[in-house]
Amino acid sequence: MFRNDKENKRAGYKEINFNHLMSIYELNYHNFKQAINSKFANKHNRKHSKNLIIEDIFHDKFTRIFKMYHKFSYDDQVQYSKTFSIKPHLIFYMYEDAQLLEVKSLKDNQNFQSTIDNKIKLNLNLFYWLKTLINQ
């Protein structure tokens, strides 16, 4: 008759499955293409788009594996090195033929194992970041 608290919470939420994850990958692909095209096409944003660095690890006709980071600059002109970057521990897999963009952490990439919850968390964070980048 009585459910424990954990079962009540689980019953209240819709489960996210593999199909949801694939739709997030597709949305990330299209949003990434839109964000990159709009940032480089707009004359006012060219200065900001130069600060977004995409470093290719592997690139062929259908697959692109890359790291992406932002280059910051110091406000103080006395500094010898006026720019710095914080490189995240994320690797992006873009599949042109399937039109998917997946993000993995370095740990997941090295171990070849990840839970679906972790994949959804990383890829949803990318989705929200891309949406804010597009809406700026």
Side-chain angles (χ1 to χ4, degrees), residues 56-97:
D56 280 333
I57 298 171
F58 175 78
H59 193 181
D60 68 358
K61 186 176 179 180
F62 297 114
T63 305
R64 182 177 185 184
I65 303 171
F66 60 93
K67 292 182 181 181
M68 184 170 43
Y69 56 93
H70 189 79
K71 187 185 289 187
F72 299 97
S73 59
Y74 288 110
D75 293 334
D76 187 12
Q77 299 298 327
V78 179
Q79 296 287 336
Y80 176 72
S81 176
K82 295 180 184 171
T83 61
F84 68 97
S85 306
I86 300 172
K87 293 186 180 181
H89 293 284
L90 299 175
I91 298 178
F92 298 87
Y93 288 78
M94 182 184 290
Y95 305 104
E96 293 288 341
D97 53 344

Side-chain angles (χ1 to χ4, degrees), residues 10-113:
R10 191 180 314 146
Y13 295 108
K14 181 180 172 184
E15 286 192 31
I16 298 178
N17 59 19
F18 184 74
N19 292 333
H20 293 103
L21 184 62
M22 289 296 116
S23 65
I24 293 169
Y25 289 169
E26 289 177 32
L27 288 171
N28 284 344
Y29 176 84
H30 293 291
N31 288 337
F32 181 77
K33 289 285 194 176
Q34 182 181 355
I36 295 300
N37 290 339
S38 68
K39 290 298 176 187
F40 285 106
N42 193 351
K43 291 180 182 179
H44 301 293
N45 290 328
R46 285 192 184 182
K47 180 182 176 188
H48 298 293
S49 64
K50 289 180 183 177
N51 294 336
L52 186 65
I53 307 299
I54 298 174
E55 182 180 301
D56 280 333
I57 298 171
F58 175 78
H59 193 181
D60 68 358
K61 186 176 179 180
F62 297 114
T63 305
R64 182 177 185 184
I65 303 171
F66 60 93
K67 292 182 181 181
M68 184 170 43
Y69 56 93
H70 189 79
K71 187 185 289 187
F72 299 97
S73 59
Y74 288 110
D75 293 334
D76 187 12
Q77 299 298 327
V78 179
Q79 296 287 336
Y80 176 72
S81 176
K82 295 180 184 171
T83 61
F84 68 97
S85 306
I86 300 172
K87 293 186 180 181
H89 293 284
L90 299 175
I91 298 178
F92 298 87
Y93 288 78
M94 182 184 290
Y95 305 104
E96 293 288 341
D97 53 344
Q99 295 186 346
L100 300 174
L101 177 65
E102 177 185 8
V103 63
K104 293 182 182 180
S105 67
L106 283 177
K107 181 181 177 184
D108 294 340
N109 194 40
Q110 291 172 351
N111 295 338
F112 297 109
Q113 291 181 347

